[in-house]
Amino acid sequence: MDYLTKMLERISKDKYQKKAYDTEDSTVVIAGPGSGKTTILTLKIMKLLNGHIHEPQGLACLTFSKEAAREFKERLEKLGYKKRVNVFLGTVHSFCVSEILGNFAELYDCGIPMPIKIVPDKLKKEIFEKAKENVGQNPNLKIEAMNKQRALQIPGSSNVKVADDVDAKTVAAEYEKILYKAGYIDFETIIIVSTRLIQEHEYVRECLNAKYPWLVIDEYQDLGKPLHEMVLALFNQTNIKLFVVGDPDQSIYKFAGAIPNYLMELYDRQDIIPVKLMNNYRSNQDIVDGSETVLNIKRDYHAATREGESAEYRFIDCDKGLEDQFDYFIKNIIPESKEKKIPLEEIAVLLGTRADCQALATECINNNVPHYISNHIFERTDFVKWLESCALWVNDRTAVSFDDIYDYWKTILLLKRENHYISEKENLTSRIALLEILEKSIHYKGSIKNWLEYMYDALRVNEVLKDAEQLPDEIDNLNELYNEVCDEKYTDYDTSKFSKLGKPENQITISTRHSSKGLEFEVVVLMGMEENNFPSWWVLNYGDEEDLEECNRMCFVCVSRAKRVCILMKSKKYVKNGKFGPYEKTFEASRYWKQLYQKYINRE
Amino acid sequence: MRSLYISRVVIRNYRNFKDVDIRLGHKQIIIGENNIGKTNFIRALQLILDPTLSDEDRRLDESDFNNTLANPMENDEEIEISIYISNYRGNVAVLAMLQGATVRDNDMETLKITYRFFPHTDDNGNKEYEYVIFMQDDVTRIFGAAQRKYLNIKVIKALRDVEGEMKNSRLSPVKKMLDEYAIDKAELERIAEEYRKSGEQILNIDEIEDLTQNINKRFNAILGNGEHNVSLQAMEVDPTKVLSSLKLLMENRNAADVSLGWNNILYISMILQTLQDKTVPTFMRREKYEELMTRPDSDILSAVYTETANGNFFLDEKITEQQKEDIYAFMNLNAPTYKGTTILVIEEPEAHLHPVNQRLVFRDVIQKSNNSVLLTTHSTHITAISPINSIVHLHSSKDGGTLVHATASMPMDEGEFLDVERYLDVKRGEIYLAKAVILVEGIAEEYLVPRFAELLGKSLDEKGIIICNINCTNFKPYVKLLRCLDVPYAVITDGDFYHIPSGQDEREYHVMYDDVSDDEECGYLGLEIIKRMVTELEINGATPIPDSVAEEDELYNSYGIFLGNYTFEVDMMEHCHGKKKATDIIVGLFNELTTGKEAQKANFKREIEEEKYWKCLKKIESNGIGKGRFAQKLASRCCKEHIPGYIKSAIEYIYEKVDK
């Protein structure tokens, strides 16, 4: 039985998944934690491509991250997907750049500088500071607040209303002025201008409709207003059909303008079929129920695996600060887990801030606990992913085709060429050159560090990527990658372990609560579970109802990462720095602690 | 629904074309004399669009550069051909594949595809010419085979090999059309089996039996054994070849044997049929029909399809426009074909067509086709009936290159179109093929001007200058057309002098200038008409129209417009004044033609001597003569002295234009 048939058989046993697969019209799928959304998405894409969409038409599958797009691609290939024209698989941003701005921005006056040059991060921050200074705004205003405000300003047909941030608005106007004058655009511009192009020009809609009669979108709750307006414009004014997947309960990017209401607005439409996946294939029923408890909304999700298993909820009360919690974790929980033969990579500690993560990491180093911080420094960009393919080829030539490797390299070579033209002959020369480099690199394949050193040098990456407007941050990123492999722990890594870089291997995971999304572990440790820490003092004193709801959702995400064990830790007091020096402050247990305690400890 | 079409072509440095930028329409007639570059023009389009061209064919060389360029490859010259496509927005396949080609042309979304042959210097400093075909203005957006599948061109060469193609089962359009039905294999096997059975029966006559035996005997005698059985077969019994064995019959004769003319029409009809949009099929198998009936809004299916005796379905012949739209929308949504669009080019269809059939092919087959068609021709039978706005006119420039002008974007109002088209139908569109045109307003000029030219030693025929009698004084649409095509022209028209007698307010014509008293208001109707045309067409540009009649006349002469004082005959007679020989010829001719008596002949002679030309003209127009007959007769006897000054100037003007 091939993989596709096997998977189809599997989903046909889940009536919710089956329903989502079977719909013939636009559909919104609410997919809670562990509900198998990737399976549904990829199977749906196969179904559409195999019977419903005829060449040269295709479909666009938009994801939130590059990583997710790559995961989909790999999964689709496993399901038997063969490359065909007009199938787009990538992030929302790359879709906007290549399919909307690339084709149409020059046709109509969009008020942005052409050709498209994306502002490097560093410059973006400088421009933001300058803009604040120019308009005399509060220097504490965060760049995220401005970006959010810019996104909210887009007009459209959504009925979801969000109040303006007046300060951010003034800065935004000045910022855009400086940015465009400098000849750059940023990621926000990409989405905003793309949405406007779709809203304002029938031609753009017709073209997208012709090329992509179906739009498949993942993680809809993470996409803010401009994308929502873009989807509404396409849905209301073309024949494009939607297959949207998301989970309002996992919407935790309010600071960036993402709120669950946009997803729900689609879900509640009469002309879209709503489907809710009710089965959880990750956690046991206690964890499922506990996550709903902290969410403070009953979802009635059902644990479809781990039948009859009950969860282990533990409540650890420490004395002072996070330090005591770290200490308890290292001295007690780690040894216990070892005893119970729980592998280290099945353990995660979730904390509020990056600084807290760093502090724990330091403790781990001091105590020889292998750990991994998921906020790793280098980004798995397409270029890094390409280096990974090269490393794979070096070890096994049948694992990846040299043609594919060269194709990407060619796009990099073209970046620098003034006329973006490469002749057949040059093509051949570059191919041969790349092949030679790869072959010589085999010599260094025993050490990932030496191999990278050789590759950077032979490929002349600094030269090739210098001033590459499409990839402004790539050189910095490659340097981060290099620094990473220089780390002691990688000294015995050979090139075959490239793909394992930056991924936990027999290590515990340390992550911020935010970044835990999408991960899963046997054991999840939630530290800092005091009221005024989580939910934070700010939310409780200055936030509104919505802020608290988002906090609930954050806790829902954290608890639902666990498959079986959920450990909550808190301290009675923390040392704070006040006007007159350090002082101790007492803290009460977090409401989430109390809710879970009430549910699971008091019941016994 | 009309298909997309090439709406603009820009050519630089390719063969005859130094610098061409023209706008085209849905149906285009490309005309011009032999060797002017019609084929090269088509070739330019093929470089981009023809899927049958090889890589080698697309790689040009030094000889493909325009010959006005010295050492083009040494000087890094480039050849560039761009086409713009319009009216494609309803075409989903094209929109899906080629949206990256979108540019804005005249503020409209248009697809632009460019072929470029250019020098490329590689990293080692070696220069080599390369070609690239790309979309929009971005050389990384390659227009290649994948794109060409959905937008291409088919060129039917001067129709000299139709017979071969019709007979060749692989290339036959009949075979292609049959293939599209994807006829069931079992069905073909059944037919083959029936063929075999009945074939055996039919051939069951003794003569055949005898022949077969004899062949077998001889054959096996040579091979020395009896293992090989030779037999005769009446029909193709191989299921895979049943379809290719089908022959087209016309009037029950094999189409390949009927006259070439019919054959050509048949061929063109079939090609157009293969290119049709088949979103709404005329035939549907039962299974397909039933599957489609399950889709939403399938009522339209049963409304327009009727079941056949075999249980399949035919599209009804007569369906309403609304039904047409509905079924198209339904099929496009539920069973889109996305076959790709082909622009058809037919080179010189007249090669083997009788003039009557040329008209048939053009009017009924090509004009009515939804596909865009480009046609090269020098048949006046075709140009005569071509819509005025569908002309692409090729003619040679001073430096030996080719200039191209097209009428597709020429602004003309409905009335003007009808006027010119009606005229061209009669005149068989000669003016398109002329080197230069003299526009005249009546039959007399039409007869006499060519003769006058000969008398002046400037034969019009020899230079390819034609006389175009428009039978009225509305020269404007013709001048507009000729200017648009950049064909040199001269206008000869009457001055139509008039005066307003004192105490009256109406103009009075048919008077001589000398008979009008000084205090009377007078003028020239001809000048007024020309002035209106010159200013409306902005022929004068920024030059103001002078107040003085003499200066005004001079200005118009510089534009090729020549006016008499009165009317042609009167001007001619006045010009003859005092020239006995010339006057005698006119008088003699009148005497010969008139039905009047001697007294009238004497009156005519007297009046011409007394310069009462209007009276003379009146006599020519009556008495059973008429201006036309008079001019026709005069043409064979006239002499240089008859030629009025303005006509002489016109002939000299146009001659000079052509010689340039």
Side-chain angles (χ1 to χ4, degrees), chain B residues 259-265 349 352-365 381-382 385:
Chain B
S259 87
L260 210 49
W262 285 106
N263 220 334
N264 280 313
I265 299 177
H352 294 290
L353 284 181
H354 184 277
V356 175
N357 291 342
Q358 289 176 22
R359 288 187 172 224
L360 271 180
V361 164
F362 185 74
R363 260 196 185 142
D364 298 334
V365 185
H381 301 286
I382 290 174
I385 55 170

Side-chain angles (χ1 to χ4, degrees), chain A residues 57 102 108 203 207 419 426, chain B residues 88 99 102 109 120 141 338:
Chain A
Q57 294 194 298
Y108 312 101
Y203 183 77
C207 284
N419 57 1
E426 285 170 292
Chain B
Y88 57 93
Q99 57 183 264
T102 312
E109 288 86 356
H120 176 68
R141 298 187 195 177
Y338 300 153

Side-chain angles (χ1 to χ4, degrees), chain B residues 401-436:
Chain B
T402 299
L403 293 176
V404 186
H405 292 91
T407 52
S409 57
M410 180 176 62
M412 266 210 183
D413 58 47
E414 196 66 21
E416 291 179 332
F417 266 123
L418 288 176
D419 211 16
V420 181
E421 267 171 20
R422 203 177 304 122
Y423 170 77
L424 290 181
D425 199 1
V426 178
K427 281 298 272 185
R428 315 236 140 140
E430 278 172 359
I431 70 164
Y432 294 131
L433 299 166
K435 284 271 192 207

Side-chain angles (χ1 to χ4, degrees), chain A residues 54-57 85-86 102-104 107-108 202-203 206-208 210-211 417 419-421 423-426, chain B residues 88-89 92-93 95-97 99-100 102-104 109 118 120 122-123 128 130 139-141 150 336 338:
Chain A
H54 307 272
E55 273 197 66
Q57 294 194 298
V85 293
N86 292 338
N103 284 340
F104 307 111
L107 295 186
Y108 312 101
E202 191 185 359
Y203 183 77
E206 276 176 25
C207 284
L208 289 170
K211 201 166 177 180
R417 298 197 161 233
N419 57 1
H420 297 290
Y421 177 82
S423 72
E424 273 313 303
K425 224 178 207 174
E426 285 170 292
Chain B
Y88 57 93
R89 278 177 73 167
V92 169
L95 213 50
M97 285 308 284
Q99 57 183 264
T102 312
V103 294
R104 291 228 293 185
E109 288 86 356
F118 66 105
H120 176 68
D122 68 17
D123 296 337
E128 220 167 309
E130 309 263 348
V139 290
T140 63
R141 298 187 195 177
Y150 296 98
Y338 300 153

Side-chain angles (χ1 to χ4, degrees), chain B residues 188-196 236-239 242:
Chain B
L188 294 177
E189 276 163 14
R190 185 185 59 77
I191 295 170
E193 180 59 21
E194 300 254 317
Y195 271 6
R196 197 182 57 75
E236 182 58 64
V237 298
D238 180 347
V242 163

Side-chain angles (χ1 to χ4, degrees), chain A residues 44-192:
Chain A
K44 189 81 181 190
I45 290 172
M46 290 307 285
K47 172 183 154 172
L48 292 173
L49 288 179
N50 285 341
H52 289 62
I53 300 170
H54 307 272
E55 273 197 66
Q57 294 194 298
L59 64 73
C61 173
L62 309 185
T63 61
F64 190 62
S65 69
K66 278 188 178 165
E67 200 64 58
R70 282 194 288 255
E71 191 190 330
F72 280 147
K73 189 159 175 256
E74 279 161 25
R75 187 76 81 88
L76 285 171
E77 274 162 5
K78 217 171 150 189
L79 290 169
Y81 167 75
K82 296 273 181 311
K83 204 173 171 186
R84 64 181 253 190
V85 293
N86 292 338
V87 170
F88 182 93
L89 244 177
T91 63
V92 174
H93 284 103
S94 59
F95 180 79
C96 289
V97 169
S98 73
E99 299 303 301
I100 303 176
L101 296 186
N103 284 340
F104 307 111
E106 264 168 304
L107 295 186
Y108 312 101
D109 182 20
C110 310
I112 56 166
M114 297 299 290
I116 294 168
K117 275 200 301 185
I118 296 163
V119 66
D121 281 345
K122 230 160 79 194
L123 184 58
K124 175 171 178 161
K125 277 174 198 140
E126 280 169 32
I127 292 176
F128 174 65
E129 293 305 325
K130 182 107 206 299
K132 279 197 288 190
E133 203 184 299
N134 286 0
V135 297
Q137 255 313 322
N138 174 10
N140 291 328
L141 184 78
K142 290 220 170 73
I143 197 162
E144 287 85 1
M146 176 191 73
N147 288 337
K148 178 180 163 185
Q149 179 56 35
R150 287 169 66 206
L152 286 175
Q153 275 164 236
I154 192 133
S157 57
S158 171
N159 292 316
V160 177
K161 298 289 172 242
V162 179
D164 272 349
D165 176 341
V166 185
D167 292 354
K169 206 170 173 173
T170 359
V171 179
E174 178 68 13
Y175 166 84
E176 283 181 359
K177 215 167 86 191
I178 306 176
L179 182 73
Y180 299 160
K181 207 172 161 199
Y184 288 103
I185 61 170
D186 64 4
F187 281 106
E188 283 71 27
T189 317
I190 290 172
I191 304 274
I192 294 166

